Amino acid sequence: MSASATTPADAIACIRAVYARWTRETTLAQMRADWDALFDLPVTAHHAAVDLDGIPSEWITAPGARQDAAILYLHGGGFQIGSVASHRELMARLSAAAGVRVLGIDYRLAPEHRHPAQVEDACRALRWLLAQGLTPDRIALAGDSAGGGLALSALLAMQAEGLANWAAATLFSPWTDMALTGATYGDGAVDDPLNARPMLQAMARARLGREADPLHPLASPVHASMTALGCLPPLLVQVGEREIVRSDAADLVARVQDAGGRAQLQVAPGLFHVYQQFPGLPAARDAVEAAGRFLAGHLGVAVTGTPSRITSSVTEGPSS
């Protein structure tokens, strides 16, 4: 089975099959290779390697995509697995939907590199894009799971340096709370078929080590100050109904809205963590198309075609 699954049940079975092969003896290198292989799907977009000041990266450019704007994509994987390779197909669809090229980076992973290494790499990527001649309003961010939280952390870190006015950000199932304080982390609060609190606790420890504060906003951006959250660019946050991190998404959007910022939440009924990564699912295709249109609108890029219908509950801030 592979990520070409066409039903939610088959997609969940694909991921569980990979988990089932992992034992205490399985090396992290093997886990990373297995994850890349799971999502090794055909890609129609052009992809070209680039050395981003020492960070292995790749431009993903769908046919007809513009190059006068860009999306920085930060992959998920609990800060321990995942790569440009595992997310190349998803980035290609996002490039096509938004009509601009996507820059994916292989930021440093834990436990070899603890926090804040990942934030440093994401910020370095944003500075690199600025050095290429793009202005902040021509740069959007996107990411899934750990990468979704990382995108927010990078925005907050750059904001602290006086660099703001980024175009927008789209977050797929973002993990925004390393302290796991949200309501959906409680026992029996949600029927998550893939993730559980002990696994996320282990991933958080691997990233943070013993010294870092899990409540620090650059580790857990949902805990940033209201002032900082209110200054974030427009956000579109998508999450599945069956996710233990659903409260990470909902709490983030609520706090941004309360701070006067612009944020939208889309909850996909019956779906699971980062379902967008399975292109055989109609809901995944619709979600990525919606994300692309959202980013294109804030980048000032016209996209063609008929907007898809997303079956989800949506909440929007007053200024979205």
Side-chain angles (χ1 to χ4, degrees):
M1 302 178 77
S2 73
S4 59
T6 58
T7 69
D10 285 347
I12 291 167
C14 288
I15 297 175
R16 284 178 167 174
V18 173
Y19 288 173
R21 295 201 300 268
W22 295 346
T23 68
R24 292 183 179 275
E25 285 70 44
T26 305
T27 65
L28 190 52
Q30 183 61 58
M31 292 179 182
R32 291 169 177 167
D34 289 346
W35 204 248
D36 287 354
L38 174 62
F39 294 102
D40 184 13
L41 299 169
V43 174
T44 57
H46 176 71
H47 49 100
V50 58
D51 183 349
L52 194 159
D53 293 339
I55 304 173
S57 305
E58 206 167 274
W59 277 117
I60 312 292
T61 309
R66 292 170 53 163
Q67 299 192 18
D68 60 347
I71 299 167
L72 172 63
Y73 195 93
L74 301 167
H75 69 79
F79 297 105
Q80 294 183 77
I81 61 175
S83 67
V84 169
S86 64
H87 286 66
R88 187 178 290 125
E89 193 278 334
L90 176 55
M91 290 188 287
R93 280 186 285 130
L94 186 60
S95 175
V100 301
R101 58 182 178 167
V102 175
L103 178 67
I105 70 168
D106 277 327
Y107 57 83
R108 288 172 289 172
L109 297 176
E112 301 96 319
H113 304 281
R114 306 283 193 189
H115 172 77
Q118 298 79 30
V119 181
E120 292 169 351
D121 287 355
C123 290
R124 194 189 316 175
L126 287 171
R127 294 190 192 96
W128 185 86
L129 286 170
L130 294 173
Q132 306 311 301
L134 294 175
T135 54
D137 63 330
R138 304 297 292 161
I139 301 170
L141 289 83
D144 65 280
S145 192
L150 180 57
L152 289 169
S153 296
L155 288 169
L156 292 169
M158 298 298 277
Q159 182 189 115
E161 296 180 15
L163 288 169
N165 301 317
W166 310 96
T170 288
L171 313 173
F172 304 137
S173 303
W175 187 17
T176 67
D177 185 4
M178 297 286 103
L180 314 184
T181 62
T184 51
Y185 289 107
D187 292 341
V190 64
D191 175 28
D192 190 323
L194 299 173
N195 298 316
R197 184 183 180 92
M199 181 172 72
L200 293 179
Q201 288 175 320
M203 288 179 170
R205 285 194 299 269
R207 182 200 183 195
L208 299 176
R210 294 183 178 181
E211 302 300 324
D213 179 4
L215 293 174
H216 192 284
L218 294 189
S220 298
V222 73
H223 296 296
S225 71
M226 297 299 280
T227 299
L229 291 173
C231 293
L232 288 171
L235 304 178
L236 173 63
V237 182
Q238 298 177 346
V239 68
E241 181 183 23
R242 300 177 66 190
E243 293 203 48
I244 195 172
V245 300
R246 194 178 74 214
S247 56
D248 285 37
D251 292 349
L252 170 71
V253 169
R255 295 201 74 215
V256 170
Q257 292 176 356
D258 289 345
R262 293 171 288 175
Q264 304 176 34
L265 175 66
Q266 297 176 339
V267 182
L271 288 177
F272 53 91
H273 192 59
V274 195
Y275 65 92
Q276 296 89 343
Q277 205 166 2
F278 287 82
L281 302 181
R285 297 193 298 271
D286 288 348
V288 173
E289 183 182 329
R293 288 182 176 277
F294 172 82
L295 295 178
H298 288 284
L299 288 166
V301 175
V303 291
T304 60
T306 303
S308 61
R309 295 183 179 181
I310 299 182
T311 303
S312 63
S313 60
V314 180
T315 62
E316 300 186 4
S319 57
S320 294

